[in-house]
């Protein structure tokens, strides 16, 4: 039995997609792929869609003020090419403490995901918007979610626990979740194949350097043992619009002395900081290289 599967990978400032033909023996054939660039992001270059199908690359100027509109543009293109699907999959950044494996999206699981939007405020809501877009277009096609946090679920306690009052951390779920897990799992398996060595015999330091988010992970015998992101995707490395690590006293000062609301501070740290905060004009690294010349 063959199936056609559409996969969406929703980043903070991009939307990737792949269309696969899945065969009964488990093999996959890539039919089409593409990406929406500069989604809901401030850059010198305007947003656009890039499609690859039947050996042809098409660059399509397309307004992408949000991920839902980007998904509509992608679905319209695929429909115009006559591609139909049996299944749709989505990458979710945060699964909270509820989701540790791939999950069918239904009314119950979608309600649970809505309840943890605050854990990844510039990721999970965007991915949910793409899910709902697909649900409107294809109400009878099953949709599944895979979670970046699942790979890090077994982090050792010394890496996952914050130095907070234990009862407080337990009550509110304050722990290091880790992110980019699907990427790290794929990298681990690729390195294993390249070195012809079982992943259980490898110790790896892997870097995920994305257009929106970046992190580092230590992987011991196929398991995550430390990673730079934490309770949310905000800490760690400096990213395109996220601050990365900073003194928490700065957050307190912005709220207590400077008069910013928590919502405003959240937006500053997630959407106005990082490379954009430093460079002001753009958060795109390639554009920054051009401006520096």
């Amino acid at each position: 039995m063959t199936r056609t599967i559409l996969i969406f990978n929703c980043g903070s400032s991009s939307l990737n997609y792949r269309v696969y033909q899945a065969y009964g023996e488990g093999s996959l054939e890539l039919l089409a792929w593409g990406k929406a660039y500069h989604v809901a992001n401030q850059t010198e270059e305007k947003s656009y869609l890039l499609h690859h199908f039947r050996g042809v690359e098409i660059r399509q100027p397309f307004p992408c003020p949000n991920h839902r509109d980007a998904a509509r543009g992608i679905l319209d293109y695929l429909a115009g090419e006559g591609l139909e699907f049996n299944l749709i999959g989505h990458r979710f950044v945060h699964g909270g403490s509820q989701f540790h494996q791939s999950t069918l999206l239904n009314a119950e699981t979608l309600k649970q995901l809505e309840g943890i939007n605050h854990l990844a405020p510039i990721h999970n809501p965007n991915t949910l918007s793409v899910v709902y877009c697909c649900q409107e277009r294809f109400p009878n096609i099953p949709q599944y979610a895979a979670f970046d946090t699942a790979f890090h679920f077994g982090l050792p306690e010394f890496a996952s626990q914050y130095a907070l009052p234990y009862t407080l951390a337990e009550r509110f779920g304050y722990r290091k979740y880790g992110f980019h897990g699907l990427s790290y799992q794929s990298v681990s398996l690729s390195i294993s194949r390249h070195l012809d060595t079982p992943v259980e015999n490898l110790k790896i330091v892997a870097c995920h350097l994305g257009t929106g988010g970046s992190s580092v992970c230590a992987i011991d015998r196929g398991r995550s043992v430390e990673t730079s992101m934490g309770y949310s995707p905000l800490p760690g490395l400096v990213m395109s619009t996220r601050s990365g690590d900073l003194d928490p006293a700065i957050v307190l000062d912005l709220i207590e002395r400077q008069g910013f609301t928590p919502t405003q501070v959240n937006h500053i740290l997630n959407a106005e900081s990082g490379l954009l905060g430093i460079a002001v004009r753009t958060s795109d690294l390639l554009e920054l290289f051009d401006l520096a010349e």
Side-chain angles (χ1 to χ4, degrees):
M1 180 180 180
T2 62
R3 292 178 181 268
T4 307
I5 306 172
L6 170 63
I7 305 292
F8 278 114
N9 179 353
C10 190
S12 57
S13 59
S14 63
L15 181 61
N16 287 273
Y17 74 89
R18 298 285 188 276
V19 180
Y20 291 98
Q21 190 77 50
Y23 299 97
E25 67 275 16
S27 61
L28 295 173
E29 178 188 357
L30 180 61
L31 300 181
W33 62 277
K35 182 176 181 177
Y37 287 84
H38 309 313
V39 181
N41 208 10
Q42 181 180 327
T43 56
E44 297 282 303
E45 186 178 45
K46 294 185 181 299
S47 61
Y48 64 94
L49 307 179
L50 193 67
H51 307 287
H52 296 262
F53 183 51
R54 293 175 177 164
V56 178
E57 178 181 285
I58 297 175
R59 177 173 170 138
Q60 176 188 359
F62 194 85
C64 297
N66 55 61
H67 289 76
R68 190 171 189 137
D69 284 349
R72 288 195 186 105
I74 290 168
L75 293 175
D76 286 344
Y77 167 79
L78 295 175
E81 296 294 339
L83 282 166
E84 298 180 350
F85 325 104
N86 306 108
L87 294 170
I88 302 175
H90 302 269
R91 169 235 181 187
F92 271 81
V93 162
H94 215 310
S97 57
Q98 298 98 313
F99 299 102
H100 310 144
Q101 59 187 6
S102 298
T103 301
L104 176 67
L105 294 173
N106 53 33
E108 180 182 354
T109 53
L110 286 171
K111 184 177 180 180
Q112 288 178 295
L113 285 167
E114 292 278 6
I116 60 173
N117 271 344
H118 65 284
L119 294 176
I122 63 172
H123 292 88
N124 275 30
N126 290 332
T127 305
L128 278 169
S129 75
V130 175
V131 171
Y132 293 136
C133 179
C134 294
Q135 200 173 58
E136 290 173 3
R137 190 76 63 96
F138 308 109
N140 297 319
I141 295 180
Q143 298 190 72
Y144 288 83
F147 301 92
D148 268 334
T149 48
F151 181 71
H152 304 287
F153 184 70
L155 273 173
E157 192 173 71
F158 71 80
S160 65
Q161 187 174 4
Y162 288 119
L164 293 169
Y166 183 78
T167 54
L168 183 77
E170 283 291 296
R171 179 182 176 186
F172 296 114
Y174 295 145
R175 62 180 295 272
K176 180 177 283 190
Y177 288 98
F179 300 93
H180 297 140
L182 296 170
S183 172
Y184 289 129
Q185 186 174 23
S186 175
V187 166
S188 299
L189 295 174
S190 295
I191 292 173
S192 173
R193 289 192 294 266
H194 180 72
L195 297 178
D196 194 23
T197 303
V199 71
E200 293 79 10
N201 296 339
L202 293 172
K203 294 188 176 184
I204 301 166
V205 174
C207 302
H208 178 97
L209 305 177
T211 55
S214 297
S215 66
V216 181
C217 182
I219 304 166
D220 186 6
R221 300 174 179 87
R223 298 185 63 184
S224 171
V225 294
E226 183 58 285
T227 187
S228 59
M229 287 181 167
Y231 172 71
S232 77
L234 180 58
L237 306 178
V238 172
M239 292 165 259
S240 62
T241 63
R242 278 172 269 169
S243 65
D245 284 344
L246 80 166
D247 189 331
I250 295 173
V251 177
L252 298 176
D253 188 79
L254 285 169
I255 295 171
E256 294 176 354
R257 292 203 317 121
Q258 310 306 331
F260 288 87
T261 67
T263 299
Q264 288 173 323
V265 173
N266 180 61
H267 183 77
I268 290 168
L269 297 181
N270 278 293
E272 297 180 352
S273 300
L275 294 176
L276 179 62
I278 295 169
V280 180
R281 290 178 58 180
T282 181
S283 63
D284 186 283
L285 194 57
L286 293 177
E287 289 181 359
L288 288 175
F289 286 144
D290 291 337
L291 291 172
E293 291 180 353

